[in-house]
Amino acid sequence: NGVPAVDINLIPSAAIGRIEVLKDGAAATYGSDAVAGVVNFITRTDQEGFRASAAYRWVKDTDGDIDASLSYGHVGNGFRMLAAVGFNKRGQLLARDRAFAVQPFLNNPQGGWTGGGNPANFLLVGPSATPGVVTPYTGVVADTSCVPLGGYLGANGRCSTQYTGFDTLVDLEKRITAFTDVEVDLGGSHKFEVTALY
């Protein structure tokens, strides 16, 4: 909490003209947060006409990744503008689709195995000498469906079930971004500039 984070994916790639990386402190120019360096994304200011790009990346067991962008720029007659839109999609990748992610209990007992799943473990309780009072639990017994349903029955008689197969390694992500930058020369040394980002 309290730590500012910048998501560079907010800027359509078609709007970026160049990236400057300053490895030394630049607090005098960029403020007190820039003591460890700066990564400066500089948008295009000299584009004329349209520019488009698209890419598809095939990833096994997903429906793939898509990156697409379109931009238009104009410079001249005291007027400059750039408009860019981008679309990005990352396909969902489930943990069960990668052998390294879901391991048997004996290979990785801490790798997503739990004793609190379903099939479950049951606490054994019994009657006491006082009518209507139940004694504290005397042990744990595993559900009889533990092993048939893919659980692991340990030497202590407890059932462990694997939940990692329901997790994702990469979540489905879809993102649409838009950027526009308009600059008008008002004469003399005056300019009017509007920048918007969605």
Side-chain angles (χ1 to χ4, degrees):
N1 286 339
V3 178
V6 177
D7 186 356
I8 60 172
N9 291 313
L10 292 175
I11 306 171
S13 59
I16 298 173
R18 69 183 191 277
I19 300 172
E20 293 180 348
V21 179
L22 307 175
K23 295 185 283 185
D24 296 325
T29 303
Y30 294 101
S32 62
D33 289 336
V35 294
V38 172
V39 177
N40 194 9
F41 292 82
I42 300 170
T43 56
R44 297 180 189 278
T45 57
D46 57 354
Q47 181 174 323
E48 280 287 353
F50 287 94
R51 170 176 259 165
S53 68
Y56 174 81
R57 183 171 38 254
W58 178 82
V59 180
K60 184 182 176 190
D61 300 315
T62 75
D63 55 358
D65 298 347
I66 298 172
D67 294 304
S69 62
L70 175 68
S71 63
Y72 174 77
H74 173 74
V75 180
N77 300 323
F79 175 77
R80 177 184 63 78
M81 66 133 343
L82 174 71
V85 294
F87 173 76
N88 307 95
K89 183 189 78 69
R90 299 289 173 262
Q92 182 184 61
L93 177 60
L94 299 175
R96 65 175 171 251
D97 292 329
R98 293 294 183 265
F100 69 84
V102 182
Q103 292 287 315
F105 182 87
L106 295 176
N107 288 1
N108 187 7
Q110 284 77 38
W113 291 89
T114 179
N118 190 7
N121 296 300
F122 300 98
L123 301 178
L124 296 176
V125 295
S128 69
T130 307
V133 177
V134 176
T135 60
Y137 76 91
T138 58
V140 176
V141 63
D143 189 310
T144 56
S145 298
C146 176
V147 175
L149 292 176
Y152 176 79
L153 190 59
N156 59 3
R158 295 186 181 200
C159 180
S160 295
T161 54
Q162 170 69 268
Y163 62 84
T164 308
F166 302 99
D167 288 344
T168 58
L169 295 175
V170 178
D171 290 324
L172 175 64
E173 177 185 339
K174 292 181 180 179
R175 183 190 304 257
I176 296 174
T177 55
F179 173 85
T180 185
D181 182 27
V182 177
E183 182 181 279
V184 179
D185 188 357
L186 299 177
S189 60
H190 299 288
K191 292 182 179 180
F192 175 75
E193 184 174 0
V194 175
T195 303
L197 177 66
Y198 169 79

